[in-house]
Amino acid sequence: MLIKDVMHSPVLTVDVGVTLEAAYHIMLQRNIRHIPVTQEGRLVGMITDRDIRLATSPFAVGGAKPTDTPVGQVMAQPVITGDPLDPVEEAARVMRQRKIGALPILEGEALVGIVTGIDLLDALLRLTGVEKPSGRLEVCLDDRPGELARLSGELAQQHINIHSLLTYPCGEGTVTTVVRVGTLDTRRIARELRQKGFVVQWPPEIPSKRL
Amino acid sequence: MSVPVIYSPQYQLYNFGPQHPFSPLRLEMLLDLLEHLGHPLQFVEPAQATREEVRSVHLESFVRRVEAAGRGEYSPDFDHYGLGTADTPIFPGMDEAARWLVGGTLTAARMVSSGAAREVLQLGGGLHHAQKDLASGFCVYNDLSVAIRHLTEQGLRVAYIDIDVHHGDGVQWIHYDEPHVLTFSIHESGRYLYPGTGHTHEIGKALGTGRKLNIPLEPFTEDDSYLEVLQMGLEPALHWFRPDVLVVQCGADAHFQDPLAEILLTTQAYAKIFPLLRQYAAAFAGGRAVYTLGGGYSLDATSRIWALLYLTLQGLPLPDHLPEPWLRRWGTQLGHFLTHTLFDPEGAYPEIPRKAEIERRNRQVTERMLESVRPYWS
């Protein structure tokens, strides 16, 4: 999944000369928290609702700025940006490391989109596959080539569609694999996987269950 | 006065094959059990639902695919409509078979809406996963939603109650924005279990907001906790919503023997749940209710639970031991012993070490659900 698949486009921007009050009203009306700031069409900064509230607050260092101050005086710069062809995890990493809530996306000099934390949460939901009716299997695999193929081959043989598959390291030399599968009968699948030697963490085996 | 029962031998046509859990054997065992208990089934034959009736909730494109699949035709987009999957394999005549089940639930709803009956038991249906353009989780057409649509078109307010162990997602999504349909589903949490939905934050949208309720239970929930939160969540909702009729999906797969899920109800719990729902129908909906079947994949537990449902609705006494000839016949056929009593023996499953935590979490999740819908109950 790439940034271009999750970003918002076109992007709402304000000019450096727009007042803090006007920018804040735009945020309230559109229910957004971040606006890229442009000068003669080029991206020069970012302004957030928090920047505005801090700048106009009596707590502001050096005193509250008047509400008709141009955003150019308050905006953050230089701007951290992303590329439409970056993977979403790259955007997540930059936003996490720099503690920022939105990333304007540039193609060359042109501002083509914006990605926010909310967009990344949507991306996470899509990656986990929960948007389709499905059951969830958790299988612990050895961290070596061919293990995933063995698992997916087994599911394919049983004509089970995989809606999504995530893996993450879970210990010395093993990975936990979370598979969302298009079946109601995950217990039967788990039983057959166990018979083939897989370590299935969920659903668990229960001795009292019988047909 | 006895409660009319809708049934048709054609229900047995809804058959995905001998290896599939949604087996017509469940009905056969149930009817045989009732007969052995001295209550041979007296039933009303339903009208098969027409194509137009199915279309009241399903999209034309989807119905066409189901018809084509049932005629043995092939289309590369069947998968996209949930047809020909491991759960909902294609079988000859699947459109007609599914329309018999829809017809049964619709006939039951018509009897209630016309005043011909107050309570009706539909011995079939309950296909709550089917969505408007998707066959899913053993369900081709959504009989419940077709019946609910009929009832709301008659100007009635419908409270749909789903006790199947899986979330009633199809019914919920089909009526998600409708103000005159309350949906209430109590099920094992979708964290792991199919279909993965039914969280407390799914509360409806637009005019339906606050009218879609979900209680996702912890795996390994037992009788007491289940009954506690069922009452805690459902009673205030019905009290506020004032339905004209209840539509109840009586899936039997929350039983501890069920092979597809992890909730641990005993038949003792069902012997409390069914009278409770009847009591709610009397207190909040003028006694009007349609009961359907649903999931239930342990043949042993399912036939006992649905026999319990039947006996409860007819006001018949509950037997202790089950008839020997029935036990012998089906035990031999299935190749394992069946439980000899209607009620499960004590200590039938191992003690659950997390019991107290499970109870606390279920209570908390129910409170959270009520907190999120109550602001819309004005």
Side-chain angles (χ1 to χ4, degrees):
Chain A
M1 200 176 284
L2 302 177
I3 284 181
K4 70 179 173 62
D5 302 321
V6 299
M7 70 185 188
H8 277 289
S9 182
V11 193
L12 179 78
T13 59
V14 292
D15 189 79
V16 276
V18 166
T19 66
L20 295 180
E21 185 178 9
Y24 197 68
H25 276 144
I26 292 171
M27 290 177 183
L28 286 179
Q29 270 171 4
R30 301 293 194 97
N31 195 21
I32 55 176
R33 290 180 297 183
H34 315 82
I35 305 184
V37 182
T38 55
Q39 189 167 28
E40 289 159 11
R42 284 187 51 230
L43 178 71
V44 291
M46 278 290 274
I47 185 102
T48 70
D49 63 336
R50 196 167 88 162
D51 293 334
I52 297 175
R53 276 187 276 116
L54 271 175
T56 53
S57 151
F59 302 124
V61 180
K65 284 198 159 56
T67 55
D68 60 357
T69 308
V71 292
Q73 288 186 24
V74 173
M75 68 187 185
Q77 62 181 150
V79 193
I80 303 157
T81 61
D83 187 277
L85 297 180
D86 285 343
V88 285
E89 58 268 33
E90 195 52 41
R93 181 148 56 185
V94 172
M95 288 165 66
R96 174 66 190 87
Q97 277 176 353
R98 306 297 287 265
K99 280 194 86 179
I100 53 173
L103 206 56
I105 306 302
L106 292 183
E107 207 166 45
E109 294 255 300
L111 179 67
V112 292
I114 185 168
V115 168
T116 69
I118 300 285
D119 297 326
L120 292 181
L121 287 175
D122 284 341
L124 179 69
L125 284 176
R126 277 170 63 194
L127 284 167
T128 56
V130 292
E131 285 171 348
K132 283 183 172 174
S134 51
R136 189 176 196 258
L137 286 172
E138 267 186 29
V139 185
C140 184
L141 296 176
D142 285 344
D143 192 9
R144 59 182 162 84
E147 283 296 283
L148 206 52
R150 199 161 67 88
L151 174 64
S152 56
E154 193 55 46
L155 293 171
Q157 218 164 41
Q158 299 188 31
H159 199 52
I160 298 295
N161 192 24
I162 297 176
H163 290 317
S164 78
L165 193 149
L166 295 171
T167 66
Y168 56 92
C170 67
E172 200 54 35
T174 57
V175 288
T176 291
T177 307
V178 181
V179 199
R180 295 229 58 121
V181 285
T183 179
L184 202 134
D185 201 356
T186 45
R187 290 199 148 274
R188 183 178 61 79
I189 307 296
R191 196 166 57 235
E192 287 174 19
L193 287 174
R194 284 194 182 98
Q195 278 168 6
K196 298 271 162 79
F198 286 96
V199 178
V200 181
Q201 292 165 325
W202 193 276
E205 241 172 330
I206 306 172
S208 65
K209 297 277 174 186
R210 64 165 196 237
L211 283 167
Chain B
M1 202 179 74
S2 68
V3 170
V5 178
I6 311 288
Y7 175 75
S8 163
Q10 314 281 351
Y11 289 179
Q12 308 266 349
L13 298 175
Y14 193 82
N15 188 346
F16 294 110
Q19 299 305 317
H20 198 282
F22 199 94
S23 164
L25 262 190
R26 306 174 309 164
L27 278 178
E28 218 182 306
M29 283 176 74
L30 172 67
L31 300 189
D32 195 39
L33 176 57
L34 293 176
E35 187 154 340
H36 275 94
L37 287 169
H39 312 298
L41 192 68
Q42 309 269 315
F43 58 87
V44 179
E45 285 228 33
Q48 187 186 35
T50 62
R51 190 176 200 283
E52 290 64 44
E53 284 159 353
V54 170
R55 284 275 288 110
S56 69
V57 303
H58 292 290
L59 295 189
E60 175 68 23
S61 53
F62 174 61
V63 176
R64 278 194 196 164
R65 296 311 189 287
V66 176
E67 288 168 341
R71 284 194 301 264
E73 291 164 21
Y74 172 77
S75 167
D77 62 3
F78 277 166
D79 249 15
H80 179 72
Y81 291 92
L83 298 167
T85 59
D87 277 11
T88 325
I90 288 164
F91 62 92
M94 70 191 296
D95 166 67
E96 289 84 357
R99 280 194 288 115
W100 274 114
L101 294 177
V102 175
T105 310
L106 189 55
T107 302
R110 285 213 168 98
M111 287 170 75
V112 173
S113 68
S114 68
R118 288 166 86 80
E119 290 174 292
V120 184
L121 171 60
Q122 140 78 328
L123 272 193
L127 305 177
H128 63 166
H129 293 308
Q131 301 186 21
K132 61 181 195 289
D133 57 351
L134 187 71
S136 162
F138 315 162
C139 306
V140 177
Y141 293 142
N142 197 316
D143 59 306
L144 297 153
S145 280
V146 172
I148 291 170
R149 183 61 41 91
H150 162 78
L151 292 166
T152 55
E153 276 169 1
Q154 303 299 306
L156 300 173
R157 290 166 71 82
V158 182
Y160 169 74
I161 301 168
D162 186 319
I163 61 165
D164 194 281
V165 82
H166 301 95
H167 174 226
D169 58 338
V171 180
Q172 174 179 289
W173 299 132
I174 287 171
H175 306 281
Y176 207 52
D177 57 0
E178 294 175 16
H180 303 305
V181 181
L182 178 91
T183 65
F184 175 94
S185 180
I186 180 166
H187 46 261
E188 180 176 338
S189 159
R191 280 204 298 279
Y192 295 95
L193 197 69
Y194 191 91
T197 49
H199 304 286
T200 51
H201 61 77
E202 295 162 20
I203 61 169
K205 68 173 184 194
L207 293 174
T209 310
R211 291 142 199 251
K212 313 299 158 217
L213 279 47
N214 288 292
I215 303 187
L217 299 169
E218 283 292 299
F220 308 110
T221 293
E222 297 170 84
D223 290 0
D224 289 348
S225 177
Y226 188 102
L227 283 157
E228 178 192 354
V229 299
L230 173 68
Q231 295 173 74
M232 187 176 149
L234 185 53
E235 210 170 289
L238 292 175
H239 190 265
W240 162 74
F241 186 71
R242 292 179 292 111
D244 295 305
V245 51
L246 307 186
V247 173
V248 187
Q249 201 266 22
C250 300
D253 42 7
H255 190 269
F256 72 88
Q257 280 176 343
D258 197 275
L260 265 59
E262 286 85 23
I263 299 294
L264 302 175
L265 295 194
T266 63
T267 48
Q268 281 84 330
Y270 284 97
K272 290 181 183 149
I273 294 168
F274 295 140
L276 182 72
L277 293 175
R278 238 186 148 189
Q279 215 177 298
Y280 285 162
F284 302 114
R288 284 175 291 272
V290 170
Y291 298 88
T292 75
L293 305 185
Y297 308 102
S298 154
L299 294 167
D300 179 335
T302 302
S303 34
R304 287 183 294 135
I305 291 165
W306 288 342
L308 235 163
L309 172 65
Y310 179 89
L311 298 172
T312 305
L313 288 179
Q314 307 299 358
L316 293 165
L318 303 179
D320 183 20
H321 278 77
L322 299 181
E324 275 300 327
W326 182 82
L327 290 168
R328 248 197 329 273
R329 175 181 170 197
W330 290 99
T332 311
Q333 184 160 335
L334 300 175
H336 60 75
F337 284 110
L338 295 172
T339 308
H340 280 231
T341 46
L342 186 66
F343 290 110
D344 293 303
E346 285 285 312
Y349 59 84
E351 208 168 299
I352 304 301
R354 284 177 59 242
K355 187 183 177 85
E357 191 196 334
I358 289 169
E359 289 173 353
R360 183 183 58 74
R361 290 182 65 133
N362 285 340
R363 224 171 276 141
Q364 191 181 21
V365 98
T366 309
E367 270 161 19
R368 198 177 297 154
M369 181 276 284
L370 287 170
E371 272 166 26
S372 57
V373 293
R374 270 207 171 108
Y376 300 94
W377 290 1
S378 52

